[in-house]
């Protein structure tokens, strides 16, 4: 993960091996979960380690490392931790810091953390929680959606938060809460509503096993092939014959 304009590269390391090695046929007999993880900051120019950070208990969750405006963020168990990007110093934490049961095997991703315009969005428990990026104060929360064999999709576009919800291996009936609301990033107030995804998808297949994509204008969903939800007009389209590779999209 590149640390924006600060010229810092952030990586999560695992000991005795990277987490994904535990599921590889060549290594799974030797490496078992849980492993020990650290966040390491590296200078991409010199290749030198700048600092490293360990949560001191608890597990760094996959796919939750983020950085913006001189700060780094990561989810540890059910807690959001914020670090100074240049020094690795703890700045704040939010959430349940109680010890959780460590994972014993690798499964599909379920965790998400997004930073945009001074707000941190993270799935904690069954809620999507919005926090101020500088102090970690809770701004608002709402029930979190879900992905199909993938983390819930959270997009921030033009100051609005769009969240997916397609967790079931079912297409009859289709979910009615999939990108159906857009919330104000800072207040959580619902600003827009729609039911477009209900009719835009083609029945007959479960949602693809990867995250959605988005641009400034379109949310590109993956219910059957690819569905374009137009956020500015009515140019909604679908193509049932274009799809990505499983888990990568």
């Amino acid at each position: 993960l590149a640390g924006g304009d600060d010229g810092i590269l952030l990586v999560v390391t695992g000991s005795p091996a990277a987490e994904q090695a535990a599921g590889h046929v060549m290594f799974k007999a030797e490496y078992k979960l849980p492993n020990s993880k650290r966040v390491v900051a590296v200078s991409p120019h010199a290749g030198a380690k700048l600092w490293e950070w360990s949560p001191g208990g608890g597990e760094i969750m996959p796919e939750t490392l983020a950085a913006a405006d001189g700060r780094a963020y990561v989810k540890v168990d059910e807690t959001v931790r914020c670090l100074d990007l240049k020094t690795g110093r703890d700045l704040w934490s939010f959430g349940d810091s109680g010890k959780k049961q460590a994972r014993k095997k690798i499964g599909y991703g379920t965790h998400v953390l997004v930073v945009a315009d001074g707000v941190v969005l993270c799935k904690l428990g069954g809620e999507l929680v919005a926090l101020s990026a500088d102090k970690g104060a809770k701004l608002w929360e709402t029930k979190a959606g879900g992905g199909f064999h993938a983390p819930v999709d959270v997009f921030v576009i033009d100051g609005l938060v769009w969240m997916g919800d397609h967790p079931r291996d079912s297409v009859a009936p289709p979910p009615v809460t999939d990108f159906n609301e857009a919330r104000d990033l800072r207040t959580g107030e619902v600003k827009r509503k729609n039911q477009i995804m209900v009719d835009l998808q083609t029945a007959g297949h479960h949602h693809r096993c990867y995250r959605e994509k988005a641009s400034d204008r379109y949310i590109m969903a993956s219910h059957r092939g690819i569905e374009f939800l137009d956020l500015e007009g009515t140019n909604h389209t679908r193509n049932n014959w274009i799809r990505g590779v499983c888990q990568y999209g």
Side-chain angles (χ1 to χ4, degrees):
L1 175 73
D5 297 331
D6 298 277
I8 295 175
L9 179 67
L10 297 176
V11 296
V12 175
T13 65
S15 177
E19 179 175 299
Q20 59 268 26
H24 194 284
V25 65
M26 293 181 62
F27 305 111
K28 63 182 181 180
E30 183 177 356
Y31 300 125
K32 302 294 184 181
L33 291 179
N35 63 352
S36 176
K37 297 181 188 176
R38 294 175 180 270
V39 176
V40 179
V42 179
S43 167
H45 308 293
K49 182 172 71 174
L50 303 175
W51 52 265
E52 66 177 51
W53 176 87
S54 172
E59 182 181 5
I60 294 175
M61 293 302 173
E63 303 176 285
T64 64
L65 182 61
D69 301 324
R71 292 179 288 267
Y73 308 89
V74 70
K75 182 181 177 184
V76 177
D77 290 338
E78 290 300 316
T79 303
V80 178
R81 304 287 291 270
C82 176
L83 313 174
D84 185 280
L85 185 57
K86 292 187 176 180
T87 66
R89 179 172 60 91
D90 281 282
L91 296 178
W92 56 259
S93 66
F94 177 91
D96 182 4
S97 58
K99 185 174 179 58
K100 305 297 181 182
Q101 184 176 359
R103 293 179 303 140
K104 298 297 179 62
K105 63 180 181 179
I106 295 178
Y108 294 107
T110 59
H111 305 282
V112 65
L113 188 152
V114 174
V115 184
D117 300 330
V119 177
V120 180
L121 298 162
C122 185
K123 183 179 179 182
L124 297 173
E127 302 293 313
L128 181 70
V129 181
L131 308 171
S132 63
D134 56 348
K135 301 295 185 181
K138 185 169 75 171
L139 304 176
W140 55 271
E141 66 178 41
T142 187
K143 182 180 178 181
F148 185 72
H149 292 175
V152 57
D153 296 294
V154 178
F155 300 120
V156 180
I157 303 171
D158 292 333
L160 298 177
V161 180
W162 297 86
M163 180 170 58
D165 188 27
H166 39 264
R168 302 182 305 276
D169 189 358
S170 172
V171 292
V176 296
T177 54
D178 198 21
F179 299 112
N180 70 309
E181 293 179 340
R183 295 179 178 270
D184 184 275
L185 176 62
R186 287 175 171 77
T187 68
E189 180 184 356
V190 176
K191 295 292 188 178
R192 294 173 58 181
K193 289 187 175 184
N194 74 83
Q195 286 287 284
I196 296 168
M197 287 305 305
V198 175
D199 297 319
L200 188 57
Q201 61 185 286
T202 300
H205 201 285
H206 63 73
H207 189 284
R208 301 296 178 176
C209 304
Y210 46 75
R211 282 172 156 174
E212 321 285 43
K213 303 293 189 294
S215 68
D216 290 342
R217 177 171 178 177
Y218 293 97
I219 292 175
M220 290 160 269
S222 307
H223 288 269
R224 178 99 182 214
I226 184 169
E227 299 87 24
F228 286 81
L229 172 60
D230 188 351
L231 303 180
E232 296 181 1
T234 59
N235 189 31
H236 314 296
T237 61
R238 68 185 175 209
N239 187 312
N240 291 336
W241 304 103
I242 297 177
R243 56 156 293 187
V245 179
C246 293
Q247 287 298 293
Y248 291 95

